[in-house]
Amino acid sequence: MVKVNPHKLPPLPSGGEPGPDWRQVDWDAHERATTLEDGTEVSYVDYGSGPGPVVLLVHGLGGSWRVWLANLAHLGQTHRVVAVDLPGFGASPPDGSPGRYDTYAATLDRLCADLGISRVVAVGNSFGGWISAELARRNPALVAGLVLVDAAGIPCTPAERRKVVGMLRMADRLAPASSRNRDLLGRRPQLRRRALAFVVSRADRIPDDLAVVIIPQTPSPVFRTVLEAAVLSWSADWCASLGALDVPALVVWGERDRQLPMRHAEEWVRHLARAELVVIAGAGHMPMLEEPGTVNAHLRQFLDRAGKEAVSAG
């Protein structure tokens, strides 16, 4: 069952036709929610149209579909784009699962079936990249292309583990204050730099209004559960299994990612037989926010290639 999602963005600015600027799109008109056959409720945005595979955007830990705002309007000019709120994040209620990456991948698989989507290019950031890779592993007939944006999933060294888990636990503790003060963070650059320090390198590159809407209105109730499940799920055997995937892949990485260093990008490329690496100069863990124009250009180029391959493959 699909219904309009009541979770609202701030009012649109007056005037102008919908275009590549996310501010000109009435996102309320594109928000939906559906109840899957297993009872899981998933909220998502369904925007744009075009031939070829649907672009499936998957956010990371603590995020929502809004982290893709600077990309959605652009990609929707040529493709149908579905951007999800994973269960327990954004407007999607928790589903009672243990919060593992493979559980979320199964949910996305069922969501695509529910929406009648037969082919996707899965684009995931951070934890969403891990989920997207597992979706390709779980259902290779569904995934025509894979884009991993500073993706989690590669096992961390002990030092990396201490650093990233410490950062994310701190982010979880600060989340209630960030949600309460999200409007203030949008107006005060110094506070915004502190609030977004874990995920971006240059907070001044993010417009004030975008900074406000990407900060959750309420903290995720499953953040800590999902984090602890992720730490227990890192697996060298899982990484080795990626070599069996025959899917074009694009690995996009922020040069200054504080959470996952460049070694992780190189490991993804090593494990995925058909992967290419693009490094976004100066960007942090979420380059699609800091350098949306550059990321969008690479995404469009990759989508063209993946779409042509999907057509030729029948």
Side-chain angles (χ1 to χ4, degrees), residues 15 115 139 189 216 244 262:
L115 299 181
N139 189 352
M262 193 61 61

Side-chain angles (χ1 to χ4, degrees), residues 18-305:
D21 186 341
W22 65 270
R23 300 168 185 83
Q24 297 178 305
V25 178
D26 182 2
W27 294 109
D28 292 346
H30 298 280
E31 288 193 89
R32 301 287 184 269
T34 188
T35 301
L36 305 180
E37 60 181 6
D38 66 345
T40 300
E41 298 177 45
V42 180
S43 297
Y44 61 97
V45 160
D46 197 334
Y47 178 74
S49 63
V54 173
V55 181
L56 178 66
L57 299 178
V58 191
H59 65 80
L61 185 61
S64 73
W65 70 264
R66 287 166 175 76
V67 302
W68 301 104
L69 271 170
N71 317 102
L72 261 165
H74 181 82
L75 298 176
Q77 293 182 295
T78 53
H79 292 78
R80 180 185 178 189
V81 186
V82 172
V84 301
D85 278 348
L86 295 169
F89 300 92
S92 295
D95 60 359
S97 75
R100 285 174 49 94
Y101 69 96
D102 49 355
T103 303
Y104 280 121
T107 295
L108 293 185
D109 199 356
R110 289 192 293 271
L111 175 65
C112 289
D114 183 83
L115 299 181
I117 296 172
S118 60
R119 293 287 271 171
V120 302
V121 172
V123 182
N125 170 240
S126 194
F127 183 57
W130 193 356
I131 295 167
S132 299
E134 173 61 18
L135 179 64
R137 214 176 67 100
R138 171 190 174 89
N139 189 352
L142 173 66
V143 179
L146 184 62
V147 181
L148 304 176
V149 184
D150 292 73
I154 300 298
C156 287
T157 66
E160 290 172 347
R161 173 174 171 163
R162 286 191 298 271
K163 180 179 180 180
V164 70
V165 172
M167 292 173 66
L168 291 173
R169 285 175 176 166
M170 176 64 73
D172 185 40
R173 288 194 293 271
L174 295 175
S178 295
S179 295
R180 286 194 305 269
N181 299 298
R182 62 202 298 262
D183 292 335
L184 188 63
L185 294 173
R187 296 194 303 269
R188 297 192 177 179
Q190 186 173 0
L191 289 178
R192 182 161 70 250
R193 283 196 297 272
R194 292 176 181 174
L196 300 178
F198 295 138
V199 293
V200 300
S201 173
R202 299 164 300 182
D204 60 308
R205 300 281 294 178
I206 303 174
D208 295 355
D209 50 359
L210 181 58
V212 170
V213 297
I214 65 172
I215 296 171
Q217 292 177 323
T218 56
S220 168
V222 301
F223 186 104
R224 183 60 66 93
T225 298
V226 175
L227 173 59
E228 301 305 333
V231 171
L232 295 173
S233 299
W234 284 320
S235 167
D237 289 341
W238 181 86
C239 291
S241 73
L242 296 172
L245 288 177
D246 183 23
V247 60
L250 178 66
V251 178
V252 179
W253 219 265
E255 178 189 29
R256 298 179 181 173
D257 189 332
R258 293 181 61 198
Q259 294 189 31
L260 302 173
M262 193 61 61
R263 179 186 74 83
H264 290 248
E266 294 164 353
E267 283 294 291
W268 279 112
V269 172
R270 185 171 71 86
H271 287 296
L272 292 165
R274 301 177 59 194
E276 300 176 13
L277 173 62
V278 170
V279 177
I280 308 300
H285 190 60
M286 302 179 78
M288 71 281 194
L289 289 172
E290 290 184 77
E291 296 291 346
T294 301
V295 172
N296 287 340
H298 286 295
L299 286 176
R300 284 284 288 273
Q301 189 177 58
F302 179 79
L303 289 170
D304 288 345
R305 294 201 308 269

